Structure formats: C-alpha cells, structure tokens
Amino acid sequence: MNKEPAVYIMANKKNGTIYVGVTSDLIARVYQHKNLKTPGFTSRYACKSLVYYEQHEDMMEAIVREKQLKAGSRKKKIALIELMNPDWKDLYDTL
C-alpha cells in the first residue's frame, strides 16, 4: 500500500474533532500524526486515530477528493466515517 495517493480522516475520539488530509504515503503520514511529529491542527487537537481512508490512482484525483470532502459538511464526513468504520476504530494497524 505504500506510496499510493490517499485521502484520510483523523479523529481524536468518536464524534470528536476530525481532520481531512491527503498524502502519497498513508502509513508514514499517519505515523507522523500519531507521534505529533508535525505541529498544526492534528497536534493541537490530538487527532491521532485514523478513522477513514480511501486510495486513489493518482495524486491529482486524491487532491480533488480531499477538497470535495473538506468543502462538505461535518455531517457528511461523519456519515462517511460511519459507513466504513461505525465504531470509529483506529485503522492504522490494518494498513
């Protein structure tokens, strides 16, 4: 799965603060969030749990999807998470 463009959602708890991001290396990026390696939103709000992700064929496609998700409502993001991951489990170990 390494080096495949992906859109992902991190959360600090079920129905808590959520963050939508895009990356070309999901495992490495989530590791950075979990270990607070980069200052910013996810560090500030302790969004350390990978609750949703989707892989894409190319980076441009992933960026378009990330913008679409970020522009959508919180309600839509939560519905998307709960469709794939109803218990909001941390999916990092499944990568």
Side-chain angles (χ1 to χ4, degrees):
M1 172 144 118
N2 244 358
K3 300 294 181 194
E4 285 183 36
V7 176
Y8 63 95
I9 301 177
M10 302 292 294
N12 61 358
K13 63 183 179 191
K14 185 172 183 171
N15 292 314
T17 302
I18 54 179
Y19 169 81
V20 177
V22 66
T23 183
S24 61
D25 187 343
L26 188 59
I27 293 170
R29 189 71 184 109
V30 174
Y31 176 86
Q32 291 170 343
H33 287 306
K34 287 183 151 308
N35 293 283
L36 308 175
K37 297 284 185 195
T38 47
F41 187 90
T42 55
S43 296
R44 192 173 317 120
Y45 294 99
C47 296
K48 295 182 183 181
S49 186
L50 176 66
V51 293
Y52 177 86
Y53 67 92
E54 57 189 50
Q55 294 168 283
H56 292 273
E57 290 295 316
D58 63 67
M59 199 58 175
M60 283 309 300
E61 184 184 297
I63 290 168
V64 167
R65 178 65 170 148
E66 179 206 25
K67 287 179 180 177
Q68 184 183 46
L69 289 179
K70 283 187 170 184
S73 67
R74 175 179 169 79
K75 188 176 176 182
K76 284 184 180 174
K77 292 177 190 99
I78 289 172
L80 194 61
I81 293 164
E82 293 190 338
L83 191 65
M84 177 183 181
N85 186 5
D87 298 323
W88 292 59
K89 290 185 175 132
D90 187 352
L91 303 172
Y92 182 68
D93 291 337
T94 68
L95 296 178

